[in-house]
């Protein structure tokens, strides 16, 4: 089983967001970077699959030169090699991103790579476009299951489950296939010191992708108006209970 | 014409879908265009009546013998074919799993831009939308350079409103041309595993727990409070990553977005990742030992204290009132 996982370098999800001058990007000087929680699960799943079925895991990202850090992180938990589609670090829209990934996959296949399974996050943690994986699947004519939270893979097919309000939808498709996955699929491992060292020696291919015309053009970012409320403090410890009861009654949660 | 995609997951029409319809109707009015809808549901109940009350003038009902259960490629192909015939200027859906998937797939098939989780728009050429990034903690204004652009409407971006003077909606059947290959991805089985408890996404009261709960056992006191209030129970990412709650019960960027009348958040510091999942709540009561917890600055009510002291006392008092 050869797996290609696509990831995106994003600021740590817990970080406080501030805008950079020009309002076209967020201020990143003080931020740490990571890949999104969905993608951490995608990398982990790829590594588990090749541990079980053999084969190799390749991790691909489109982003600035610094996105090498996210490829190394992914290789430290078991991916074999990396592909970096290097940009100037500005925002690529989902269709541009997908087209560059498709071109890179075709180039890798021309050089003899064969991928059985393509894994993406269901949506990126930052832009949240919900479409790059689907666009890649369409261009490569691959069956695509989105929002996967349980996966059973065999050499030639996958059984995938997507969670809905009442339970699970079950899908089955033959390989090759493309899946977009969600956090909860597995518990990603942490790298060891040795694996971090080993990842520094693993190969990364770098190239500059071609850029299609923009379809969804980022004009400006802004912070939403703050809720601006400061909580009405109802008291401390058990002593707050009578006021909490009054509030529950005021809100109609408890019968007055 | 503005075309709204109506999904249905057994229920004829969901609140999120009605919100998207309200958004679509305001867009249609702003553009001086009629609003039409496309529905895939076979047992739609009084769908025409509901859509009429939301200003829909024509309903395209998609009919095909094989469209019995969800099959994203077939649904998207059918929608793309309808778009070729009906020529909408915008296509909208609710930003649900299905709404996002179907519109993204149509966007891929027809090489159109798609903007997920929109909360607003501005007229012009090209049109501009305001959409959520980071689960709504950052907003993006984006221009859409193709016709028709595809938009999904963020949950709780607008309040559902029906129209006052409704007109009769015409009902048309649309029969797409589909092949066997369009059904290679489809639901082959369903597993109804989630207990019929109060649903997090629709509950009017939610009790949530985080790091401060301390263990899976620690959630018992939250469940007890929830059962007294008819509330749903959820957890922060810390609670689900530690296995104290299932991932399906996560509230946050990578879990559920909730919008109850009251959210009681226990032992949760209120990081952005969590807050974006609950910011639709009308009232937030935070119970936390740490008086510096950032959640207090975003809550409507706060109690400084250990949830394992406050909740048992609160439960006892509610029991006393109820008997």
């Amino acid at each position: 089983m050869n797996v290609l996982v696509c990831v995106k370098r994003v600021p740590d999800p817990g970080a406080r967001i501030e805008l950079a001058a020009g309002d076209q990007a967020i201020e990143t000087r003080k931020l740490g970077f990571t890949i999104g929680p969905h993608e951490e699960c995608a990398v982990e799943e790829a590594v588990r699959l090749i541990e079980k079925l053999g084969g190799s895991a390749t991790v691909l990202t489109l982003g600035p030169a610094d996105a090498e850090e996210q490829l190394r992180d992914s290789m430290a938990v078991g991916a074999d090699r990396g592909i970096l589609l290097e940009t100037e670090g500005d925002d690529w829209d989902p269709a541009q991103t997908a087209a560059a990934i498709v071109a890179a996959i075709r180039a890798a296949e021309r050089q003899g790579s064969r991928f059985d399974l393509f894994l993406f996050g269901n949506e990126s943690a930052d832009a949240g476009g919900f479409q790059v994986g689907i666009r890649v699947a369409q261009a490569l004519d691959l069956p695509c299951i989105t929002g996967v939270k349980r996966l059973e893979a065999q050499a030639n097919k996958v059984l995938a489950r997507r969670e809905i309000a009442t339970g699970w939808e079950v899908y089955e498709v033959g390989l090759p296939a493309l899946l977009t996955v969600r956090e909860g699929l597995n518990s990603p491992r942490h790298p060891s010191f040795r694996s971090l060292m080993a990842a520094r020696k693993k190969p990364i291919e770098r190239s500059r992708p071609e850029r299609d015309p923009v379809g969804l053009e980022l004009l400006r970012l802004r912070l939403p108006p703050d809720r601006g409320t400061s909580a009405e403090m109802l008291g401390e410890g058990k002593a707050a209970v009578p006021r909490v009861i009054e509030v529950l009654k005021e809100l109609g949660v408890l019968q007055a | 014409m503005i075309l709204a995609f109506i999904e249905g997951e057994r229920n004829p029409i969901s609140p999120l879908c009605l919100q998207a319809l309200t958004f679509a109707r305001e867009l249609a009015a702003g553009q001086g265009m009629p609003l039409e809808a496309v529905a895939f549901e076979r047992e739609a109940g009084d769908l025409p009546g509901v859509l009429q009350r939301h200003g829909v003038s024509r309903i395209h009902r998609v009919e095909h013998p094989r469209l019995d259960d969800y099959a994203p490629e077939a649904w998207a192909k059918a929608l793309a074919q309808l778009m070729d015939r009906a020529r909408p200027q915008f296509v909208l859906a609710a930003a649900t799993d299905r709404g996002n998937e179907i519109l993204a797939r149509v966007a891929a098939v027809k090489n159109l831009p798609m903007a997920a989780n929109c909360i607003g728009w501005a007229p012009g050429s090209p049109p501009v939308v305001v959409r959520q990034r980071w689960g709504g903690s950052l907003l993006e204004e984006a221009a859409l350079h193709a016709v028709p652009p595809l938009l999904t409407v963020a949950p709780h971006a607008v309040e559902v409103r029906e129209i006052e003077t409704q007109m009769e909606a015409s009902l048309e059947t649309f029969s797409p041309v589909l092949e066997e290959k369009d059904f290679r991805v489809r639901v082959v089985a369903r597993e109804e595993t989630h207990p019929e408890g109060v649903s997090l996404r629709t509950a009017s009261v939610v009790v949530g727990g985080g790091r401060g709960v301390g263990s899976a056992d620690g959630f018992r006191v939250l469940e007890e409070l929830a059962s007294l209030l008819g509330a749903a129970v959820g957890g922060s990412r810390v609670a689900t990553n530690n296995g104290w709650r299932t991932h399906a019960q996560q509230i946050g960027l990578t879990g559920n977005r909730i919008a109850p009348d009251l959210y009681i958040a226990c032992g949760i510091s209120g990081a952005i990742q969590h807050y974006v999942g609950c910011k639709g709540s009308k009232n937030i009561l935070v119970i936390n030992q740490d008086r510096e917890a950032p959640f207090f600055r975003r809550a409507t009510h706060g109690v400084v204290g250990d949830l394992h002291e406050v909740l048992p006392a609160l439960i006892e008092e509610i029991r006393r009132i109820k008997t």
Side-chain angles (χ1 to χ4, degrees), chain A residues 34-52:
Chain A
T34 180
I35 60 175
H38 298 326
E39 291 159 13
E40 282 179 15
C41 289
V43 172
E44 174 66 28
E45 199 67 21
V47 172
R48 289 184 190 190
L49 285 171
I50 61 167
E51 283 170 351
K52 187 173 140 211

Side-chain angles (χ1 to χ4, degrees), chain A residues 127 135 183 217 229 234 237, chain B residues 112 131 145 237 254 297 302 304:
Chain A
R135 287 182 186 271
E183 186 185 41
E217 184 191 5
T229 56
L234 306 178
Chain B
L112 293 168
R131 59 176 299 269
H145 293 282
R237 188 154 175 250
T254 50
R297 292 195 294 274
V304 177

Side-chain angles (χ1 to χ4, degrees), chain B residues 106-127:
Chain B
V106 170
V109 169
K110 298 182 72 69
N111 195 23
L112 293 168
M114 188 275 230
N117 282 311
C118 295
I119 61 162
W121 57 277
S125 179

Side-chain angles (χ1 to χ4, degrees), chain B residues 23-104:
Chain B
F23 186 100
R25 188 177 72 239
E26 286 169 3
L27 176 63
Q31 303 277 327
M33 293 175 187
L35 175 62
E36 302 185 4
V38 51
F40 282 74
E41 234 15 60
R42 287 208 297 199
E43 293 161 51
D46 181 31
L47 190 63
V50 174
L51 294 181
Q52 233 163 268
R53 288 198 293 281
H54 284 86
V56 171
S57 61
R58 180 177 297 162
I59 302 162
H60 304 270
R61 182 170 259 162
V62 179
E63 288 199 3
H64 189 281
R66 290 209 55 192
L67 284 172
D68 49 353
D69 205 339
Y70 187 57
E73 292 185 32
W75 283 39
K77 190 171 177 180
L79 179 51
Q81 288 175 4
L82 175 64
M83 286 163 60
D84 288 339
R85 191 165 94 177
R87 306 237 161 235
Q89 298 296 302
F90 289 85
V91 180
L92 287 91
T96 56
D97 287 349
R98 281 192 184 179
N100 282 328
E101 177 169 40
I102 295 300
L103 262 51

Side-chain angles (χ1 to χ4, degrees), chain B residues 2 10 16 21 27-28 34 36 48 63 88 94 117 126 131 133-134 137 147 155 165 192 195 201 246 275:
Chain B
I2 307 249
R10 306 282 157 93
L16 297 184
L21 266 178
L27 176 63
E36 302 185 4
E63 288 199 3
N117 282 311
R131 59 176 299 269
R133 287 188 168 221
W134 289 105
S137 45
V147 179
T165 49
E192 311 269 328
R201 294 184 197 214
T246 68
Y275 180 66

Side-chain angles (χ1 to χ4, degrees), chain A residues 4 13 25 75 83 89 96 109 116-117 119 123 136 190 199 229 231 235:
Chain A
L4 178 75
M75 293 191 284
I83 299 176
Q96 292 174 320
E109 288 181 340
D116 305 294
L117 189 62
L119 297 178
E123 81 276 4
V136 171
H190 296 291
T229 56

